[in-house]
């Protein structure tokens, strides 16, 4: 049958991150690989109560098809949440999607013809690269440093004639780089992109997972006419609910809604009503978010301390002020080739190559500190450090439950 597949699916392979989930799920492996939220910290009894209330009080809506752009009551809540983030949005500006991941797919479908150039950060979220690649773009990779995407490099590419269909950025606690785009760069970025007529896709799953410091204005708040903002409840509530959304200029929202309806008619009313009921109790949802942030901050600290203790001289890493990820550079290492040896020693990470459209990044790796407890993070980083130092290591104990 495969010879009948469309050409665009020919290059599609299982993402490196997804392939890793299988090995990383083995109980003896400490997984610093997948960015899985620590859902064990959620109040499951409370969530059960919310689900029961929705089914009890609103069954005829919850169990029915809904509007293609999303449950109106949830759109009102999300518009209010956006206003708190400094983003001016009417409920009609919000399109609810199946996670931010569906929004990435819809953006790709709307903008990319085969061979079109799009600009992405190098490195970029692997799921965005997978979503866009289905539409066969050429990638213009823009380098990053500790202040996020290099606006100078973008400007230079534009001056040299590049005209990407859009620029995709993850400005807060970047996946995988862990860094945050500085305020000065945000301001310059909107100017540069507006002048060149390049729309910005701002993907912001982690912005509310801030461990310290003051939030920065979203890119959308700096230039609403040229920015498509993507939000999600996956990291501030739970990914199982699959609620994400876009806030875009009106014409773009209308087009994205048509594409969304063509893909799935509508998101799950049941999930959207549960999300709405969850957000209706401010103390409850912000309290839960605060508890999650405390857990992740402790794990970030454990990860950074373990890196200091165990990683070889010459290795460098980012110091995220929020989110899930630390990005490590190890000159001379081939992190892709090292991965099987790491897994054999009971620790998993994602090699840097997963995050570059051109497959570079062999001297990089991503550590996700969100899921394993602090002692497991310390042990996982220790095992990796030993591997990198070329020291003989003990095999992982077969009965270890640490993940
Ligand atoms: C940068 C980024 N964008 C989008 C997503 C997709 O999130 P969602 O669960 O909302 O589909 C993720 C998930 O890890 C992510 O890290």
């Amino acid at each position: 049958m495969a010879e009948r597949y469309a050409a665009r699916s020919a290059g599609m392979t299982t993402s490196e991150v997804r392939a890793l989930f299988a090995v990383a799920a083995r109980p003896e492996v400490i997984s610093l690989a997948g960015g899985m939220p620590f859902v064990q910290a959620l109040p499951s009894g409370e969530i059960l109560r919310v689900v029961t209330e929705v089914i009890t009080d609103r069954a005829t809506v919850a169990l029915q098809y809904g509007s293609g752009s999303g449950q109106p009551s949830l759109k009102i809540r999300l518009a209010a949440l956006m206003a708190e983030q400094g983003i001016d949005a009417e409920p009609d500006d919000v399109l609810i999607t199946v996670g931010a991941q569906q929004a990435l797919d819809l953006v790709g479908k709307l903008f990319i013809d085969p061979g079109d150039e799009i600009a992405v950060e190098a490195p970029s979220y692997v799921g965005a690269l997978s979503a866009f690649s289905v539409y066969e773009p050429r990638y213009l990779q823009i380098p990053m440093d500790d202040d996020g995407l290099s606006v100078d490099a973008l400007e230079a590419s534009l001056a040299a004639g590049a005209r990407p269909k859009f620029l995709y950025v993850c400005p807060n606690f970047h996946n995988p780089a862990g860094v945050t785009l500085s305020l000065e760069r945000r301001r310059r970025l909107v100017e540069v992109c507006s002048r060149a007529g390049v729309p910005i896709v701002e993907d912001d799953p982690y912005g509310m997972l801030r461990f310290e410091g003051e939030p920065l204005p979203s890119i959308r708040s700096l230039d609403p006419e040229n920015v498509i903002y993507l939000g999600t409840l996956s990291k501030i509530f739970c990914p199982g609910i699959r609620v994400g959304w876009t806030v875009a200029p009106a014409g773009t929202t209308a087009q994205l809604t048509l594409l969304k309806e063509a893909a799935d008619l509508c998101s799950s009313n049941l999930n959207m009503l549960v999300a709405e009921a969850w957000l209706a109790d401010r103390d409850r949802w912000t309290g839960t978010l605060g508890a999650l942030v405390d857990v992740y901050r402790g794990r970030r600290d454990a990860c950074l301390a373990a890196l200091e203790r165990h990683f070889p001289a010459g290795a460098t890493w980012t110091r995220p002020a929020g989110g899930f990820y630390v990005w490590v550079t190890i000159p001379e290492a081939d992190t892709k080739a090292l991965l099987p040896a790491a897994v054999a020693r009971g620790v998993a990470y994602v090699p840097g190559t997963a995050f570059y459209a051109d497959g570079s990044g062999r001297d990089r790796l991503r550590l996700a500190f969100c899921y394993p407890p602090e002692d497991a993070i310390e042990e996982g980083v220790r095992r990796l450090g030993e591997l990198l130092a070329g020291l003989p290591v003990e095999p992982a104990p077969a009965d270890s439950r640490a993940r």
Side-chain angles (χ1 to χ4, degrees):
M1 202 186 290
E3 72 280 5
R4 302 265 169 184
Y5 294 166
R8 69 177 165 274
S9 70
M12 289 181 69
T13 51
T14 308
S15 96
E16 287 177 71
V17 178
R18 190 144 297 285
L20 267 172
F21 277 161
V23 271
R26 297 206 310 250
E28 72 277 15
V29 175
I30 297 170
S31 177
L32 301 169
M36 291 200 301
F38 186 61
V39 293
Q40 290 86 330
L42 296 172
S44 52
E46 278 291 296
I47 297 172
L48 178 62
R49 215 157 57 75
V50 168
V51 173
T52 307
E53 264 170 34
V54 165
I55 298 281
T56 308
D57 300 341
R58 305 188 67 186
T60 55
V61 180
L63 304 180
Q64 191 51 275
Y65 289 114
S67 138
S69 66
Q71 240 327 291
S73 54
L74 178 58
K75 294 205 301 182
I76 291 169
R77 287 262 170 240
L78 293 175
L81 181 68
M82 291 290 80
E84 284 181 35
Q85 314 294 307
I87 296 178
D88 230 355
E90 294 300 320
D92 280 350
D93 299 330
V94 176
L95 164 65
I96 296 173
T97 54
V98 181
Q101 191 63 30
Q102 183 181 42
L104 291 167
D105 173 62
L106 298 178
V107 164
K109 203 175 271 184
L110 183 59
F111 283 91
I112 305 170
D113 284 316
D116 279 349
E117 189 170 55
I118 62 170
V120 296
E121 293 157 308
S124 259
Y125 165 52
V126 60
L129 297 177
S130 307
F132 299 148
S133 290
V134 171
Y135 303 103
E136 305 178 81
R138 287 176 298 119
Y139 288 101
L140 174 64
Q141 297 194 127
I142 310 296
M144 302 180 75
D145 60 24
D146 283 350
D147 285 331
L149 168 125
S150 164
V151 181
D152 284 346
L154 174 67
E155 214 171 4
S157 294
L158 295 172
R163 279 295 168 269
K165 281 285 190 76
F166 62 81
L167 165 70
Y168 167 72
V169 285
C170 177
N172 294 314
F173 321 128
H174 186 270
N175 179 2
V179 298
T180 292
L181 188 65
S182 70
L183 179 56
E184 190 262 332
R185 286 200 188 170
R186 288 173 197 232
R187 294 210 167 105
R188 274 191 56 223
L189 182 66
V190 296
E191 260 174 50
V192 166
C193 287
S194 161
R195 215 179 315 123
V198 177
I200 300 172
V201 179
E202 176 182 24
D203 188 10
D204 186 26
Y206 303 102
M208 291 177 81
L209 298 182
R210 175 173 279 281
F211 307 150
E212 59 239 349
E214 289 304 309
L216 295 176
S218 67
I219 303 173
R220 165 119 187 143
S221 71
L222 300 177
D223 189 2
E225 283 314 304
N226 197 39
V227 179
I228 301 172
Y229 178 93
L230 313 185
T232 179
L233 295 185
S234 288
K235 321 290 171 167
I236 61 171
F237 179 32
C238 61
I241 197 149
R242 306 309 296 133
V243 169
W245 64 94
T246 66
V247 181
T252 306
T253 300
Q255 287 302 116
L256 290 170
T257 305
L258 290 175
L259 293 171
K260 154 92 181 160
E261 286 170 350
D264 64 6
L265 301 182
C266 59
S267 285
S268 153
N269 265 5
L270 175 57
N271 289 14
M272 287 189 283
L273 288 180
V274 169
E276 198 251 308
W278 182 256
L279 293 175
D281 184 335
R282 191 178 171 79
D283 287 347
R284 184 176 55 199
W285 83 259
T286 55
T288 298
L289 175 60
L292 286 171
V293 166
D294 287 345
V295 170
Y296 296 139
R297 185 192 298 106
R299 292 178 180 187
R300 184 273 318 256
D301 291 345
C303 187
L304 292 178
L307 282 162
E308 291 289 351
R309 257 195 298 279
H310 302 299
F311 263 41
T316 54
W317 50 88
T318 54
R319 288 174 173 72
F324 283 4
Y325 310 106
V326 174
W327 184 235
V328 183
T329 303
I330 309 147
E332 312 297 326
D334 182 340
T335 62
K336 195 169 179 178
L338 270 177
L339 184 59
V343 171
R345 283 160 173 78
V347 58
Y349 58 83
V350 184
T353 45
F355 304 101
Y356 290 87
D358 66 0
S360 58
R362 279 183 178 272
D363 58 346
R364 315 282 159 109
L365 60 85
R366 188 192 76 179
L367 298 179
F369 53 76
C370 44
Y371 196 81
E374 291 173 24
D375 56 349
I377 292 173
E378 152 74 22
E379 174 59 15
V381 172
R382 189 188 68 77
R383 290 179 193 176
L384 259 183
E386 280 186 345
L387 174 66
L388 291 169
L391 296 174
V393 292
E394 298 154 31
D399 61 349
S400 159
R401 294 264 136 201
R403 285 180 57 200

